[in-house]
């Protein structure tokens, strides 16, 4: 970690540079290192200005990792030395510490022992050279699958213009790191208002890098008072993506099919012929019949020209404005750039095959509202196909046929599949001919499936309460933790009752958030311009038993 070297303090290592080796043999070391004691103890007052700080560890530690994880707030030059045995670190200050000042020595959670085990939590030593030590504390949790090592930055707002604070350029006065259990603690804080950020700092430079670092803010102002801990729960947004997709490579597959490799995963709905242009050297554009993501990839698109390109000369592929979008919603804005390629003379003789049909034939576990999915490795012609779904008695079942992409169809039941009932769906093509000159290998698809018997399933219902109100809708998200699989979502325009029916028995976690920006996704705020995180609460685990309805789950949004 480069925070201490670049920012908070200047340290000089004196003596004892080598890491001593522990005795050989014995079981593998799985225990994380920890601080056993410090001198002075945290909370001490009247500490001499020319004091020496000692930190004793529970085991042999990697000295370089310890020194890299150390920082003093406010900064003051220190020199480090180790005792001969290598478990006690001593910090000496060549210049006296400031008088009547609270200092916080931070040892981040990135340091490790000689077996490579990292610390379970950060350590803070708070002491004062005067009669009073600042006792403000912020404690909390980070809800993240991999919380260890994430930084929590704290900026005192006294004397600072809020609109000018930008963690891309300004390093915080106080910081700590999240431990392996997801908890963190900031100590030795003066009273006042603070702005906090959780930051997964990829390059450890103490600054937020948009597009590379994950970041989250608090749901409201943070006010610290002496001897009273402020408790917070933080989350992270993924790194901000503001860059639209672009062409990386163009590889003609035949006279009519051109494969385009783009720079990032695409929104499937944006992949249409209208997003592309194929031109010759004179600027003449060729009509396109289809465009679709290559099955199994989010970054490869096959663009199908309506008629074979006339020769093997040079052509250009363009992305048209407002067409392609990445999964973050960034749309292509500039069509001036062209990617040159040379056409090939080969015809597209490979037959189009079905690469995925869900559910598989004779499946017995189709959920009540589960759609049928058909995906091919080439463009399909929906105008040349007939689709039907019937039950075991031959009765026709009303369905909605959705063309999700040129090679992807979805069939939705207009009413739920009946539990235990057998169904058969059939797709018949009147011709093998497909857009782009290719032929369909199988013109008849027949599959049978049975709807899952959900009579042993459970329901969960309750009420959402919120006294503060929300400028947008509320989202209730139910996630299976054990015993099932899946995520269920429900939108509420206002606080009130909610229900999730027909759920597999098991353990679940319930999340509710106020969707203030109305985009249907949780936002953990933004750094600059500053925006608070959306209010949320997570409840669980909730156990759902077979044939049981869990009622009266009251969720209050803080």
């Amino acid at each position: 970690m480069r925070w201490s070297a670049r920012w908070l303090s200047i340290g000089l290592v004196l003596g004892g540079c080598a890491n001593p080796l522990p005795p050989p043999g014995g079981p593998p070391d799985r225990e994380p290192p920890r601080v056993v004691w410090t001198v002075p103890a945290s909370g001490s007052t009247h500490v001499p200005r020319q004091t020496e700080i000692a930190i004793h560890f529970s085991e042999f530690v990697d000295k370089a990792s310890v020194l890299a994880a150390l920082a003093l707030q406010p900064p003051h030059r220190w020199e480090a030395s180790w005792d001969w045995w290598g478990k006690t670190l001593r910090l000496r200050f060549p210049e006296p510490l400031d008088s009547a000042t609270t200092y916080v020595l931070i040892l981040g959670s990135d340091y490790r022992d000689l077996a490579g085990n990292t610390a379970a939590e950060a350590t803070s030593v708070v002491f004062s050279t005067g009669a009073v030590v600042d006792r403000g504390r912020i404690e909390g949790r980070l809800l993240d699958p991999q919380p260890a090592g994430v930084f929590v930055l704290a900026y005192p707002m006294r004397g600072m213009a809020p609109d000018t604070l930008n963690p891309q350029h300004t390093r915080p006065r106080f910081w700590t790191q999240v431990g392996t259990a997801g908890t963190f603690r900031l100590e030795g804080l003066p009273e006042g208002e603070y702005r906090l950020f959780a930051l997964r700092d990829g390059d450890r430079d103490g600054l937020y890098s948009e597009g590379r670092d994950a970041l989250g803010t608090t749901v409201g102002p943070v006010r610290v008072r002496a001897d009273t801990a402020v408790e917070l729960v933080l989350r992270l947004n993924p790194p901000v993506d503001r860059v639209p997709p672009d062409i990386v490579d163009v590889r003609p597959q035949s006279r009519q099919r051109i494969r385009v490799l783009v720079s990032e995963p695409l929104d499937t709905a944006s992949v249409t012929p209208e997003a592309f242009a194929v031109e010759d050297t004179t600027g003449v554009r060729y009509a396109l019949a289809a465009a679709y993501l290559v099955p199994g990839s989010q970054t490869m698109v096959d663009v199908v020209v309506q008629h074979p390109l006339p020769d093997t000369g040079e052509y250009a592929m363009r992305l048209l404005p407002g067409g392609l979008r990445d999964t973050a919603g960034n749309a292509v804005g500039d069509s001036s750039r062209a990617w040159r390629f040379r056409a090939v003379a080969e015809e597209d003789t490979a037959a189009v095959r079905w690469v995925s049909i869900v559910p598989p034939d004779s499946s017995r576990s189709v959920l009540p509202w589960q759609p049928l999915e058909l995906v091919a490795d080439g463009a399909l012609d929906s105008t040349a196909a007939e689709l039907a779904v019937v039950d075991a008695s031959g009765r026709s079942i009303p369905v909605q046929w959705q063309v999700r992409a040129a090679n992807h169809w979805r069939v939705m039941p207009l009413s739920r599949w009946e539990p235990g009932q057998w169904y058969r769906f059939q797709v018949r093509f009147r011709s093998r001919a497909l857009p782009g000159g290719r032929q369909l290998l199988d013109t008849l698809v027949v599959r049978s499936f049975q709807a899952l018997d959900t009579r042993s399933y459970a329901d969960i219902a309750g009420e959402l309460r919120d006294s503060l109100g929300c400028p947008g809708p509320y989202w209730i998200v139910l996630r299976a933790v054990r015993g099932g699989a899946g995520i269920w979502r429900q939108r509420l325009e206002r606080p009130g009752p909610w229900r999730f029916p027909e759920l597999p028995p098991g353990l679940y976690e319930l999340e509710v958030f106020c969707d203030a920006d109305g985009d249907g996704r949780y936002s953990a705020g933004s750094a600059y311009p500053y925006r608070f995180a959306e209010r949320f609460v997570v409840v669980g685990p909730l156990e759902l038993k077979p044939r049981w309805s869990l009622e009266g789950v009251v969720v209050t949004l803080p």
Side-chain angles (χ1 to χ4, degrees), residues 350-430:
V352 172
R353 299 172 180 269
W354 297 103
V355 296
S356 175
I357 299 177
V358 178
D361 194 26
S362 301
S363 173
R364 295 174 176 266
S365 57
V366 174
L367 295 173
W369 290 98
Q370 181 177 332
L372 316 178
E373 306 273 357
L374 298 93
V375 180
D377 64 1
L380 301 170
D381 184 1
S382 60
T383 64
E386 299 170 350
L387 183 145
V389 180
V390 298
D391 63 16
S393 67
R395 180 174 61 94
S396 179
I397 303 300
V399 295
Q400 182 185 39
W401 183 3
Q402 301 174 352
V403 179
R404 301 272 295 169
N407 65 331
H408 181 183
W409 294 348
R410 174 176 290 174
V411 181
M412 297 285 298
L414 294 184
S415 58
R416 65 197 290 276
W417 309 117
E418 288 299 321
Q421 177 70 270
W422 277 94
Y423 296 89
R424 182 170 61 91
F425 79 90
Q426 174 181 296
V427 180
R428 182 189 299 275
F429 285 80
R430 293 186 292 273

Side-chain angles (χ1 to χ4, degrees), residues 4 9-17 52-55 57 63-64 66-68 70 76-83 88-94 105:
S4 57
S9 59
I10 301 173
L12 179 64
V13 183
L14 301 177
C17 292
E52 179 181 273
I53 297 178
I55 307 172
F57 295 92
K63 296 177 179 178
V66 170
L67 295 176
L70 271 177
H76 200 95
R77 182 172 179 266
W78 47 261
E79 297 173 346
S81 62
W82 294 84
D83 67 0
T88 303
L89 171 65
R90 301 185 185 277
L91 303 179
R92 187 178 66 85
F93 303 99
L105 181 70

Side-chain angles (χ1 to χ4, degrees), residues 254-257 289-290 304-308 347-348 379 433-439:
S254 70
R255 292 180 64 192
Q256 284 184 261
R257 186 161 53 99
V304 180
V305 184
Q306 198 142 41
H307 303 287
E347 299 291 343
D348 219 339
L434 295 175
R438 298 178 72 184
Q439 300 284 310

Side-chain angles (χ1 to χ4, degrees), residues 241-425:
D241 179 6
R242 302 192 191 279
V243 180
D246 198 3
I247 296 176
V248 174
D249 196 10
V250 175
R251 305 169 186 171
Q253 307 295 298
S254 70
R255 292 180 64 192
Q256 284 184 261
R257 186 161 53 99
I258 306 159
R259 184 155 295 175
V260 181
L261 180 64
V262 297
S263 56
E264 54 184 319
L266 297 175
D267 177 354
T268 304
S270 72
V271 182
T272 66
E274 291 73 27
F276 300 87
V278 175
E279 304 170 345
D280 63 18
T281 54
T282 66
V284 174
R285 289 189 178 180
Y286 292 85
L288 303 181
Y292 54 90
L293 282 167
V294 175
S297 173
Q298 286 290 106
T299 57
M300 284 194 295
V301 178
D302 273 359
V303 177
V304 180
V305 184
Q306 198 142 41
H307 303 287
L309 296 176
D311 56 51
T312 57
E314 188 176 87
Y315 295 85
M317 177 72 71
R318 295 183 187 274
L319 302 182
L320 299 180
L324 285 187
R325 296 186 306 272
D326 61 21
T327 51
N330 300 305
V332 172
D334 183 6
S335 64
S336 61
R337 182 181 175 193
W339 191 280
R340 304 286 177 182
F341 68 95
R342 186 167 292 279
V344 297
E346 287 77 16
E347 299 291 343
D348 219 339
T349 57
V352 172
R353 299 172 180 269
W354 297 103
V355 296
S356 175
I357 299 177
V358 178
D361 194 26
S362 301
S363 173
R364 295 174 176 266
S365 57
V366 174
L367 295 173
W369 290 98
Q370 181 177 332
L372 316 178
E373 306 273 357
L374 298 93
V375 180
D377 64 1
L380 301 170
D381 184 1
S382 60
T383 64
E386 299 170 350
L387 183 145
V389 180
V390 298
D391 63 16
S393 67
R395 180 174 61 94
S396 179
I397 303 300
V399 295
Q400 182 185 39
W401 183 3
Q402 301 174 352
V403 179
R404 301 272 295 169
N407 65 331
H408 181 183
W409 294 348
R410 174 176 290 174
V411 181
M412 297 285 298
L414 294 184
S415 58
R416 65 197 290 276
W417 309 117
E418 288 299 321
Q421 177 70 270
W422 277 94
Y423 296 89
R424 182 170 61 91
F425 79 90

